[in-house]
Amino acid sequence: MDSLTLYGESFSSRLLLGTARYPSPAILAKAIEASRAEIVTVSLRREAGRARGGETFWELVRASGARVLPNTAGCRTAKEAIVTAQMAREVFGTEWIKLEVTGDEDLLQPEPFGLVEAARALSNEGFRVFPYTTEDLSVAERLLEAGCRVLMPWAAPIGSGRGINNLFGLRALRARFKDTPLIVDAGLGAPSHAAAVLELGFDAALLNTAVARAADPVEMARAFALAIDAGRRAHRAGLMTPRDFAEASTPVLGRAFAEDGA
């Protein structure tokens, strides 16, 4: 399989895995291994708030060998996200940051004005920004102008498990930004959803709730890894174009038949 390149670094896996809400650190470790993920996201706020177990968590992440992508989950303003990103750089020693600026409380929808503002400021500071955004083309343009080289559009609200809410919007985004790595982030609830976005030509998918809250997170992580691999292979192979009418797969020429009266 071809590799995924993000900010000049190459990865063989196209699955990014979140690390929140797992039943235990041991299950998280097994899920990372089963998913074959080479990038895991971590919320600085969430982990900093753990009075106990924090040491075990960091040991687990380091032992996985995956690259850490800190995020600014929970931030409501550009200023808050910028400060959180700066703290994450100090804690994790990385300039990679998944940028989240949340607007709506119910849908956890990205707030576009603060997102673009924070992306520009962080890019100017040397951060490699992975912005969590919607499928809006205008916002995507402004994020790229602000210095982002990767976009992370949602499929549906975080944790909803609805799959692709706006198929037309995601197709338009992929068509407009052909050379930009696009990682679908949020809303995927089943392996079939992940396969579908990779079939559309998206470069990767980021998952958390669908794996962490499964009855068997390890087996679900393995299922998503296989689905993403299948979706990418299908995209590269070239999917057939849907038709309105049937097309026989068995040729009529040379078919055996009996004449009347025979």
Side-chain angles (χ1 to χ4, degrees), residues 129-156:
V129 180
F130 293 70
Y132 168 58
T133 182
T134 64
E135 68 278 15
D136 188 284
L137 296 177
S138 297
V139 176
E141 289 276 12
R142 283 159 178 74
L143 287 168
L144 294 177
E145 291 170 359
C148 300
R149 296 294 174 263
V150 177
L151 298 174
M152 302 185 77
W154 67 354

mmCIF file of all heavy atoms in Angstrom, residues 129-156:
data_model
loop_
_atom_site.group_PDB
_atom_site.id
_atom_site.type_symbol
_atom_site.label_atom_id
_atom_site.label_comp_id
_atom_site.label_asym_id
_atom_site.label_seq_id
_atom_site.Cartn_x
_atom_site.Cartn_y
_atom_site.Cartn_z
ATOM 1 N N VAL A 129 -0.199 22.488 11.988
ATOM 2 C CA VAL A 129 -1.579 22.511 12.463
ATOM 3 C C VAL A 129 -2.469 21.530 11.697
ATOM 4 O O VAL A 129 -2.481 21.523 10.462
ATOM 5 C CB VAL A 129 -2.159 23.934 12.362
ATOM 6 C CG1 VAL A 129 -3.601 23.965 12.861
ATOM 7 C CG2 VAL A 129 -1.298 24.917 13.165
ATOM 8 N N PHE A 130 -3.225 20.727 12.456
ATOM 9 C CA PHE A 130 -4.232 19.819 11.919
ATOM 10 C C PHE A 130 -5.590 20.366 12.376
ATOM 11 O O PHE A 130 -6.050 20.042 13.477
ATOM 12 C CB PHE A 130 -4.039 18.409 12.463
ATOM 13 C CG PHE A 130 -2.786 17.713 12.012
ATOM 14 C CD1 PHE A 130 -1.526 18.132 12.457
ATOM 15 C CD2 PHE A 130 -2.854 16.614 11.167
ATOM 16 C CE1 PHE A 130 -0.366 17.484 12.051
ATOM 17 C CE2 PHE A 130 -1.698 15.949 10.759
ATOM 18 C CZ PHE A 130 -0.453 16.391 11.194
ATOM 19 N N PRO A 131 -6.253 21.194 11.581
ATOM 20 C CA PRO A 131 -7.485 21.831 12.050
ATOM 21 C C PRO A 131 -8.720 20.952 11.903
ATOM 22 O O PRO A 131 -8.988 20.409 10.824
ATOM 23 C CB PRO A 131 -7.593 23.068 11.147
ATOM 24 C CG PRO A 131 -6.953 22.621 9.860
ATOM 25 C CD PRO A 131 -5.849 21.680 10.255
ATOM 26 N N TYR A 132 -9.454 20.816 12.979
ATOM 27 C CA TYR A 132 -10.739 20.112 12.963
ATOM 28 C C TYR A 132 -11.793 21.097 12.479
ATOM 29 O O TYR A 132 -12.059 22.112 13.131
ATOM 30 C CB TYR A 132 -11.068 19.603 14.367
ATOM 31 C CG TYR A 132 -12.487 19.111 14.530
ATOM 32 C CD1 TYR A 132 -12.977 18.082 13.735
ATOM 33 C CD2 TYR A 132 -13.333 19.674 15.487
ATOM 34 C CE1 TYR A 132 -14.289 17.628 13.880
ATOM 35 C CE2 TYR A 132 -14.633 19.221 15.648
ATOM 36 C CZ TYR A 132 -15.108 18.204 14.834
ATOM 37 O OH TYR A 132 -16.394 17.759 14.985
ATOM 38 N N THR A 133 -12.381 20.813 11.322
ATOM 39 C CA THR A 133 -13.263 21.765 10.676
ATOM 40 C C THR A 133 -14.498 21.068 10.126
ATOM 41 O O THR A 133 -14.665 19.850 10.263
ATOM 42 C CB THR A 133 -12.499 22.503 9.553
ATOM 43 O OG1 THR A 133 -13.340 23.482 8.949
ATOM 44 C CG2 THR A 133 -12.003 21.530 8.480
ATOM 45 N N THR A 134 -15.378 21.837 9.510
ATOM 46 C CA THR A 134 -16.521 21.268 8.802
ATOM 47 C C THR A 134 -16.124 21.057 7.352
ATOM 48 O O THR A 134 -14.966 21.255 6.980
ATOM 49 C CB THR A 134 -17.737 22.210 8.876
ATOM 50 O OG1 THR A 134 -17.424 23.425 8.184
ATOM 51 C CG2 THR A 134 -18.104 22.524 10.326
ATOM 52 N N GLU A 135 -17.098 20.703 6.512
ATOM 53 C CA GLU A 135 -16.815 20.489 5.090
ATOM 54 C C GLU A 135 -16.956 21.777 4.274
ATOM 55 O O GLU A 135 -16.924 21.736 3.043
ATOM 56 C CB GLU A 135 -17.737 19.394 4.531
ATOM 57 C CG GLU A 135 -19.201 19.752 4.440
ATOM 58 C CD GLU A 135 -19.955 19.592 5.739
ATOM 59 O OE1 GLU A 135 -19.312 19.468 6.806
ATOM 60 O OE2 GLU A 135 -21.195 19.585 5.696
ATOM 61 N N ASP A 136 -17.076 22.914 4.948
ATOM 62 C CA ASP A 136 -17.262 24.196 4.271
ATOM 63 C C ASP A 136 -16.032 24.565 3.424
ATOM 64 O O ASP A 136 -14.917 24.641 3.937
ATOM 65 C CB ASP A 136 -17.512 25.294 5.316
ATOM 66 C CG ASP A 136 -17.909 26.605 4.697
ATOM 67 O OD1 ASP A 136 -17.011 27.293 4.169
ATOM 68 O OD2 ASP A 136 -19.096 26.952 4.729
ATOM 69 N N LEU A 137 -16.246 24.816 2.129
ATOM 70 C CA LEU A 137 -15.133 25.101 1.219
ATOM 71 C C LEU A 137 -14.450 26.425 1.539
ATOM 72 O O LEU A 137 -13.228 26.542 1.435
ATOM 73 C CB LEU A 137 -15.633 25.113 -0.228
ATOM 74 C CG LEU A 137 -16.179 23.802 -0.784
ATOM 75 C CD1 LEU A 137 -16.704 23.997 -2.201
ATOM 76 C CD2 LEU A 137 -15.106 22.717 -0.773
ATOM 77 N N SER A 138 -15.226 27.436 1.914
ATOM 78 C CA SER A 138 -14.641 28.748 2.208
ATOM 79 C C SER A 138 -13.746 28.697 3.438
ATOM 80 O O SER A 138 -12.661 29.288 3.466
ATOM 81 C CB SER A 138 -15.752 29.782 2.403
ATOM 82 O OG SER A 138 -16.506 29.948 1.231
ATOM 83 N N VAL A 139 -14.207 27.987 4.463
ATOM 84 C CA VAL A 139 -13.384 27.840 5.670
ATOM 85 C C VAL A 139 -12.107 27.076 5.339
ATOM 86 O O VAL A 139 -11.012 27.431 5.803
ATOM 87 C CB VAL A 139 -14.173 27.132 6.787
ATOM 88 C CG1 VAL A 139 -13.280 26.890 8.003
ATOM 89 C CG2 VAL A 139 -15.387 27.958 7.189
ATOM 90 N N ALA A 140 -12.225 26.052 4.526
ATOM 91 C CA ALA A 140 -11.048 25.273 4.129
ATOM 92 C C ALA A 140 -10.026 26.153 3.415
ATOM 93 O O ALA A 140 -8.824 26.077 3.681
ATOM 94 C CB ALA A 140 -11.469 24.116 3.231
ATOM 95 N N GLU A 141 -10.499 27.002 2.513
ATOM 96 C CA GLU A 141 -9.605 27.928 1.797
ATOM 97 C C GLU A 141 -8.859 28.815 2.771
ATOM 98 O O GLU A 141 -7.641 29.025 2.645
ATOM 99 C CB GLU A 141 -10.414 28.797 0.834
ATOM 100 C CG GLU A 141 -10.959 28.072 -0.382
ATOM 101 C CD GLU A 141 -9.936 27.965 -1.503
ATOM 102 O OE1 GLU A 141 -8.751 28.257 -1.253
ATOM 103 O OE2 GLU A 141 -10.340 27.577 -2.613
ATOM 104 N N ARG A 142 -9.556 29.335 3.743
ATOM 105 C CA ARG A 142 -8.939 30.258 4.705
ATOM 106 C C ARG A 142 -7.960 29.544 5.633
ATOM 107 O O ARG A 142 -6.950 30.124 6.040
ATOM 108 C CB ARG A 142 -10.033 30.985 5.491
ATOM 109 C CG ARG A 142 -10.669 32.096 4.669
ATOM 110 C CD ARG A 142 -12.052 32.506 5.158
ATOM 111 N NE ARG A 142 -12.580 33.603 4.362
ATOM 112 C CZ ARG A 142 -13.045 33.475 3.120
ATOM 113 N NH1 ARG A 142 -13.044 32.293 2.545
ATOM 114 N NH2 ARG A 142 -13.514 34.522 2.467
ATOM 115 N N LEU A 143 -8.242 28.292 5.958
ATOM 116 C CA LEU A 143 -7.311 27.530 6.785
ATOM 117 C C LEU A 143 -6.013 27.262 6.031
ATOM 118 O O LEU A 143 -4.914 27.342 6.601
ATOM 119 C CB LEU A 143 -7.948 26.215 7.229
ATOM 120 C CG LEU A 143 -9.041 26.333 8.293
ATOM 121 C CD1 LEU A 143 -9.786 25.014 8.445
ATOM 122 C CD2 LEU A 143 -8.449 26.770 9.634
ATOM 123 N N LEU A 144 -6.116 26.972 4.750
ATOM 124 C CA LEU A 144 -4.916 26.757 3.937
ATOM 125 C C LEU A 144 -4.135 28.055 3.787
ATOM 126 O O LEU A 144 -2.901 28.064 3.853
ATOM 127 C CB LEU A 144 -5.299 26.183 2.573
ATOM 128 C CG LEU A 144 -5.905 24.777 2.597
ATOM 129 C CD1 LEU A 144 -6.316 24.350 1.188
ATOM 130 C CD2 LEU A 144 -4.942 23.764 3.186
ATOM 131 N N GLU A 145 -4.835 29.153 3.593
ATOM 132 C CA GLU A 145 -4.181 30.462 3.511
ATOM 133 C C GLU A 145 -3.487 30.813 4.821
ATOM 134 O O GLU A 145 -2.471 31.512 4.837
ATOM 135 C CB GLU A 145 -5.206 31.536 3.160
ATOM 136 C CG GLU A 145 -5.761 31.435 1.743
ATOM 137 C CD GLU A 145 -6.942 32.357 1.511
ATOM 138 O OE1 GLU A 145 -7.336 33.072 2.472
ATOM 139 O OE2 GLU A 145 -7.477 32.374 0.390
ATOM 140 N N ALA A 146 -4.044 30.315 5.942
ATOM 141 C CA ALA A 146 -3.471 30.600 7.266
ATOM 142 C C ALA A 146 -2.211 29.783 7.545
ATOM 143 O O ALA A 146 -1.538 30.015 8.545
ATOM 144 C CB ALA A 146 -4.508 30.331 8.346
ATOM 145 N N GLY A 147 -1.918 28.802 6.678
ATOM 146 C CA GLY A 147 -0.688 28.028 6.854
ATOM 147 C C GLY A 147 -0.883 26.543 7.081
ATOM 148 O O GLY A 147 0.098 25.799 7.170
ATOM 149 N N CYS A 148 -2.134 26.089 7.190
ATOM 150 C CA CYS A 148 -2.382 24.650 7.380
ATOM 151 C C CYS A 148 -2.045 23.893 6.100
ATOM 152 O O CYS A 148 -2.302 24.378 4.999
ATOM 153 C CB CYS A 148 -3.842 24.398 7.750
ATOM 154 S SG CYS A 148 -4.365 25.221 9.277
ATOM 155 N N ARG A 149 -1.498 22.705 6.241
ATOM 156 C CA ARG A 149 -1.188 21.850 5.090
ATOM 157 C C ARG A 149 -1.959 20.538 5.147
ATOM 158 O O ARG A 149 -1.767 19.663 4.306
ATOM 159 C CB ARG A 149 0.321 21.578 5.038
ATOM 160 C CG ARG A 149 1.145 22.846 4.794
ATOM 161 C CD ARG A 149 0.858 23.411 3.408
ATOM 162 N NE ARG A 149 1.511 24.704 3.174
ATOM 163 C CZ ARG A 149 0.912 25.874 3.331
ATOM 164 N NH1 ARG A 149 -0.369 25.929 3.706
ATOM 165 N NH2 ARG A 149 1.560 26.994 3.109
ATOM 166 N N VAL A 150 -2.827 20.424 6.139
ATOM 167 C CA VAL A 150 -3.701 19.265 6.319
ATOM 168 C C VAL A 150 -5.045 19.800 6.791
ATOM 169 O O VAL A 150 -5.103 20.787 7.535
ATOM 170 C CB VAL A 150 -3.140 18.291 7.378
ATOM 171 C CG1 VAL A 150 -4.104 17.128 7.609
ATOM 172 C CG2 VAL A 150 -1.773 17.776 6.980
ATOM 173 N N LEU A 151 -6.139 19.174 6.354
ATOM 174 C CA LEU A 151 -7.471 19.532 6.841
ATOM 175 C C LEU A 151 -8.131 18.300 7.431
ATOM 176 O O LEU A 151 -7.962 17.188 6.930
ATOM 177 C CB LEU A 151 -8.341 20.074 5.703
ATOM 178 C CG LEU A 151 -7.861 21.360 5.024
ATOM 179 C CD1 LEU A 151 -8.755 21.686 3.830
ATOM 180 C CD2 LEU A 151 -7.844 22.525 6.010
ATOM 181 N N MET A 152 -8.913 18.519 8.502
ATOM 182 C CA MET A 152 -9.595 17.403 9.171
ATOM 183 C C MET A 152 -11.091 17.700 9.261
ATOM 184 O O MET A 152 -11.594 18.111 10.314
ATOM 185 C CB MET A 152 -8.997 17.172 10.564
ATOM 186 C CG MET A 152 -7.507 16.880 10.545
ATOM 187 S SD MET A 152 -6.830 16.465 12.174
ATOM 188 C CE MET A 152 -7.407 14.788 12.347
ATOM 189 N N PRO A 153 -11.834 17.490 8.165
ATOM 190 C CA PRO A 153 -13.274 17.751 8.193
ATOM 191 C C PRO A 153 -14.045 16.663 8.926
ATOM 192 O O PRO A 153 -13.642 15.507 8.929
ATOM 193 C CB PRO A 153 -13.634 17.760 6.698
ATOM 194 C CG PRO A 153 -12.648 16.812 6.090
ATOM 195 C CD PRO A 153 -11.368 17.025 6.848
ATOM 196 N N TRP A 154 -15.162 17.060 9.528
ATOM 197 C CA TRP A 154 -15.993 16.077 10.194
ATOM 198 C C TRP A 154 -16.880 15.348 9.196
ATOM 199 O O TRP A 154 -17.134 15.835 8.097
ATOM 200 C CB TRP A 154 -16.833 16.714 11.293
ATOM 201 C CG TRP A 154 -17.917 17.683 10.849
ATOM 202 C CD1 TRP A 154 -18.162 18.143 9.582
ATOM 203 C CD2 TRP A 154 -18.886 18.289 11.700
ATOM 204 N NE1 TRP A 154 -19.227 19.005 9.596
ATOM 205 C CE2 TRP A 154 -19.697 19.112 10.875
ATOM 206 C CE3 TRP A 154 -19.157 18.229 13.059
ATOM 207 C CZ2 TRP A 154 -20.757 19.865 11.384
ATOM 208 C CZ3 TRP A 154 -20.203 18.982 13.559
ATOM 209 C CH2 TRP A 154 -20.988 19.791 12.735
ATOM 210 N N ALA A 155 -17.330 14.163 9.562
ATOM 211 C CA ALA A 155 -18.356 13.456 8.800
ATOM 212 C C ALA A 155 -19.717 13.723 9.441
ATOM 213 O O ALA A 155 -20.734 13.819 8.765
ATOM 214 C CB ALA A 155 -18.083 11.961 8.775
ATOM 215 N N ALA A 156 -19.700 13.866 10.761
ATOM 216 C CA ALA A 156 -20.891 14.138 11.566
ATOM 217 C C ALA A 156 -20.382 14.633 12.926
ATOM 218 O O ALA A 156 -19.177 14.603 13.188
ATOM 219 C CB ALA A 156 -21.738 12.876 11.712
#
